Amino acid sequence: MVVGAGPTGLTAAIELAGRGISVCVIDSLAAPRTESRALAVWPRTRDVLTSLQVLDDVQQDSDLFLDQVAYELGDARSVSIKLPTDTMAQILPQPVLEQALIERLGDLAVSVHWGTRLVDVVQHPDGVSVTMSSPGQNEHEACVKFIIGADGASSSVRSLLGISYVGHTIPASFHLADCTLQGFPNDNVFRNFVSQAGYVAICPLPDGGHRIFARSEHTDSRTEMSPAEMLKRAGLSSVGVRSTEWTSDFRIHERVSETFRQGNVFLAGDAAHTHSPAGGQGIQTGIGDAHNLSWKLSTVLRGIALPSLLDSYETERRPVAQAVIDRSSVQAKLWDTSTPWKRRRNSFAFRAANQLGVVRARLIPALLGYADAYPPSPAQSSRSKQFLHQRHRSPAFKTNLQLVAEGSWSPEEIAEIGRLQARHELLGDNVMQISDPVPRTRRGIVCVRPDGYAAFRVGDLVNLERGLDQIIRSWANPRLLRG
């Protein structure tokens, strides 16, 4: 069962259903949200959505990609960062993405049970008993093997399990408005205004409108700020507001769940961690959780892998979530312009980070999602560093590992790799070969997981056999050994 039909829960449901796992999706809302909370879809998330055959459906709804980030620092200085094509974030309103995910889920004969609230969760040795409440119905029960709680920062799943949500609330209020502006550039630039008046950001939207985001030092989230006032703070009093589609005033929390798993119940997305919107990492981190967990659950449910594989979910995803919280926290601190020294600090930090290449070398790769490195876990060899194998894109809904031979290998060596691969059903049925136009000075064999990450990389057949032995001993079902 998946609780929560946002991007995280829908991704998990599609991944499971696509692998032949029966899945039920419930959401307490009566219908999908219409307001757009998250916007940014970074390249790694686009890879996942492409593998799920979702991205083509939304491409026609948004071909807006941010190609530049600009900072006006309020001291007659500015910083502008041009983004290469392969690093651009796509601006994709959350309702558009969710609708595409819902339709893809429907293609797999699964629908969302809207207006269904989770009332109680009781775990037992064979799974989980859940009590649900739906409009016009009495409370009803069901038994499921696993639950994925993807029901947001106010997660009912986390609350029912009594899991603490550890962290703090930023002592400031934040304001958001989706507007149609008059007299403001309609381009692909994300603009930040940092001055004595406060922090304001303006992001273009696919429909030609703009999202305005501002910080104020009030700690009451009920404090409102009009779009005109936000523009004034940015020094844009001459810009007019033709219409306002949506506004929101809120607080920002930086929290992480005490645990991502309790028995057969897992937490993912905002239910497991929440952070500042700085960097636009919300959708990416949640979909990353779903992508990591779903192939492991399906492999266990199909009996290919042992339940010990599931221990790797929190081991791998907690450091990623914490890194996002830490990184976005630093960025959010630069929104604080409440004192002169903080404004001087912010101005220096923006300019220094750009001049020293920190933004391009460290921040942008982290935002893209390709820099995440998982620590050793049951799904990851301790003998090699975890890395995303970008040159191989696994087909959608794979459940086994894939051996990829990079560089030049003889037919006899490829046959031996195939023999080693054929030892267990967990491993793929064929060896993929990748040859470079320029021959490599060092050959390699990469064991690629269904989520596109490398379980390990070795340089010869002896170490390949050792690596496969370690995986088979760690979490492959011994009953499926071949030969």
Side-chain angles (χ1 to χ4, degrees):
M1 172 177 283
V2 175
V3 182
T8 301
L10 292 169
T11 297
I14 292 170
E15 295 256 21
L16 290 166
R19 292 182 171 94
I21 303 300
S22 177
V23 60
C24 171
V25 185
I26 67 171
D27 196 295
S28 60
L29 294 178
R33 294 182 185 273
T34 56
E35 69 272 15
S36 178
R37 295 174 179 265
L39 286 177
V41 176
W42 291 93
R44 172 57 181 152
T45 304
R46 287 172 51 80
D47 288 345
V48 175
L49 296 175
T50 297
S51 74
L52 300 182
Q53 302 169 27
V54 169
L55 198 61
D56 289 344
D57 294 335
V58 299
Q59 193 69 42
Q60 58 186 356
D61 295 300
S62 175
D63 58 357
L64 175 60
F65 289 81
L66 296 179
D67 59 19
Q68 188 174 338
V69 179
Y71 291 89
E72 299 294 336
L73 302 176
D75 54 2
R77 299 179 181 181
S78 63
V79 172
S80 182
I81 303 167
K82 188 73 174 177
L83 300 177
T85 301
D86 59 351
T87 69
M88 295 179 185
Q90 182 179 10
I91 300 303
L92 185 63
Q94 187 169 330
V96 176
L97 174 58
E98 289 181 354
Q99 184 57 41
L101 290 166
I102 290 169
E103 291 175 2
R104 182 68 182 105
L105 190 60
D107 294 340
L108 298 168
V110 179
S111 59
V112 178
H113 298 273
W114 297 104
T116 302
R117 183 172 59 90
L118 189 66
V119 177
D120 195 18
V121 174
V122 178
Q123 301 207 56
H124 48 79
D126 296 327
V128 188
S129 296
V130 297
T131 303
M132 297 168 285
S133 174
S134 303
Q137 296 184 21
N138 295 325
E139 291 186 355
H140 50 287
E141 297 182 355
C143 291
V144 298
K145 185 64 178 177
F146 295 101
I147 291 178
I148 299 178
D151 49 342
S154 300
S155 170
S156 61
V157 175
R158 191 186 63 242
S159 177
L160 288 169
L161 293 176
I163 298 174
S164 300
Y165 208 28
V166 182
H168 68 280
T169 301
I170 294 178
S173 291
F174 297 86
H175 315 274
L176 181 152
D178 287 351
C179 306
T180 301
L181 302 179
Q182 183 175 9
F184 190 80
N186 191 6
D187 51 23
N188 295 6
V189 180
F190 184 89
R191 292 177 170 83
N192 300 266
F193 301 85
V194 186
S195 67
Q196 182 176 353
Y199 172 82
V200 178
I202 303 180
C203 177
L205 298 175
D207 62 2
H210 290 84
R211 170 164 294 181
I212 313 175
F213 174 86
R215 168 185 170 128
S216 66
E217 300 313 310
H218 300 289
T219 56
D220 185 352
S221 60
R222 294 171 297 180
T223 302
E224 298 180 357
M225 185 183 297
S226 69
E229 185 177 353
M230 288 189 252
L231 291 170
K232 183 178 180 180
R233 286 193 173 204
L236 300 171
S237 299
S238 61
V239 174
V241 179
R242 287 182 177 174
S243 62
T244 301
E245 285 71 41
W246 180 58
T247 64
S248 179
D249 304 281
F250 56 96
R251 302 288 299 280
I252 290 177
H253 310 278
E254 294 176 341
R255 300 183 184 275
V256 63
S257 178
E258 181 182 20
T259 179
F260 287 12
R261 178 188 185 185
Q262 189 179 105
N264 281 14
V265 182
F266 298 83
L267 300 176
D270 286 352
H273 41 75
T274 187
H275 50 83
S276 159
Q281 294 291 287
I283 285 180
Q284 176 146 292
T285 311
I287 287 181
D289 289 348
H291 196 51
N292 180 288
L293 177 59
S294 298
W295 75 267
K296 297 173 182 176
L297 280 174
S298 62
T299 305
V300 169
L301 286 167
R302 293 180 61 187
I304 298 173
L306 298 175
S308 58
L309 173 62
L310 302 177
D311 296 337
S312 65
Y313 169 63
E314 180 163 2
T315 301
E316 294 181 346
R317 293 304 298 175
R318 176 177 286 274
V320 173
Q322 190 61 58
V324 170
I325 291 172
D326 294 344
R327 189 166 57 243
S328 63
S329 178
V330 171
Q331 293 176 266
K333 283 183 173 64
L334 299 178
W335 296 344
D336 186 352
T337 63
S338 57
T339 65
W341 84 264
K342 288 181 179 179
R343 292 192 290 274
R344 290 194 298 270
R345 174 202 64 186
N346 297 347
S347 179
F348 174 80
F350 283 124
R351 289 183 285 111
N354 189 45
Q355 292 170 4
L356 296 174
V358 173
V359 173
R360 292 187 183 278
R362 299 289 296 276
L363 179 58
I364 291 178
L367 297 178
L368 299 182
Y370 292 132
D372 296 339
Y374 292 154
S377 74
Q380 152 68 28
S381 170
S382 60
R383 297 184 300 107
S384 62
K385 181 181 178 182
Q386 174 71 33
F387 69 99
L388 179 67
H389 188 57
Q390 299 181 53
R391 302 177 68 226
H392 172 62
R393 296 287 182 253
S394 297
F397 312 133
K398 273 182 69 72
T399 55
N400 53 19
L401 305 179
Q402 172 73 56
L403 292 184
V404 180
E406 298 181 319
S408 178
W409 296 83
S410 69
E412 293 76 18
E413 289 173 317
I414 292 296
E416 178 61 14
I417 296 172
R419 184 189 69 80
L420 294 173
Q421 183 170 249
R423 294 166 57 203
H424 197 281
E425 190 173 329
L426 175 69
L427 306 174
D429 296 325
N430 65 296
V431 179
M432 173 176 283
Q433 286 186 267
I434 298 179
S435 299
D436 289 333
V438 178
R440 285 173 170 263
T441 58
R442 185 168 70 93
R443 302 184 302 173
I445 304 171
V446 186
C447 184
V448 183
R449 307 184 333 182
D451 60 356
Y453 279 78
F456 64 81
R457 185 185 192 279
V458 295
D460 55 60
L461 297 179
V462 172
N463 284 310
L464 172 62
E465 186 167 10
R466 291 173 180 169
L468 293 177
D469 282 344
Q470 181 174 339
I471 284 180
I472 290 173
R473 288 197 308 270
S474 297
W475 49 271
N477 188 335
R479 292 179 297 177
L480 299 180
L481 279 170
R482 298 166 174 163

